Structure formats: C-alpha cells, structure tokens
Amino acid sequence: MALNADRDTPARKGAVREAPVAANTIIYAGGMTAITTAGVARPPSAASDIVLGRSRERADNATGADGDVSVDIEAGTFRYANSAGGDEITRAHIGDDCFAVDDERVARTNGGSSRPRAGSVFDVDALGVWVKSD
C-alpha cells in the first residue's frame, strides 16, 4: 500500500557493512573484500564473488566455520596495486570497470571470466589504481 502520511524511513549512516567471514579464511586489514554466492566474506577469488570494498580490520577465521567471525567492510574509493603488461590500467581506463586479481591488485581484464569486478577506475597515479567500489 502506498504512503498516505509522512514516514520515518530507517537509514544506515556511512558506508560500512558487517559480513560473516568464510570458513578457513583470513581477511587482512585494508584488503579488498568480497562476498561469495553463499553470502560470506573472503578475499576476492572467483568471478562470482561480489567485491564490496576494503576490510576495516583483520578478521581471522582460519580455524572457524562460516560466520564464526565477522568483518566490517567499507565501501568507497581506495588505491590498489596495478597489474602489468596487457592487464595494466592507465588513465585511459578511468570510468571503466576493473577486476580483482587478489585482495591488493586490480587488472584491466576479467582474466578470461575468472576474476570478479572490483569496481570502476576512479583515477590512476604512480602508486596504483584508485578504485571506486559500489
């Protein structure tokens, strides 16, 4: 039913979400972090992963089951290492999608459909690629 009066719609302030960590996984502070199709967090490693941003702290679930530990994942624009060769990202790629090679490096291509989308290229400088997460 449509509203017929004002509504105090709940909101989440900031760009941080908490996610359960996958079993047998360590997520390092500052690392690019994704969720799997099962909804658990891990470093990006499969094309089906959805990159959410970077972890705010280390989350050690190396000996636990799915969800024994949680991690805060922050969306935003973060600098990651650039790939080299044919996968190197240049300023000509600003605005294009880029893909997670691992939890600290991005590439221009999806690696033959093996890498998840990391976000869009916001900027490129001598130290790396600024990636805007969704």
Side-chain angles (χ1 to χ4, degrees), residues 14-90:
V16 178
R17 52 185 120 180
E18 184 179 343
V21 176
N24 306 312
T25 300
I26 297 175
I27 297 174
Y28 293 96
M32 194 180 326
T33 307
I35 57 168
T36 67
T37 55
V40 292
R42 69 178 181 190
S45 60
S48 59
D49 288 350
I50 299 171
V51 176
L52 299 178
R54 72 165 181 192
S55 62
R56 294 184 73 179
E57 71 274 333
R58 179 183 170 123
D60 187 343
N61 199 24
T63 60
D66 283 354
D68 282 355
V69 171
S70 292
V71 66
D72 286 341
I73 305 167
E74 182 177 17
T77 303
F78 308 106
R79 185 172 53 211
Y80 297 108
N82 200 346
S83 287
D87 262 340
E88 184 175 6
I89 297 169
T90 68

Side-chain angles (χ1 to χ4, degrees), residues 112-126:
S113 298
S114 65
R115 299 174 183 147
R117 180 181 174 276
S120 60
V121 177
F122 182 81
D123 201 2
V124 180
D125 61 29

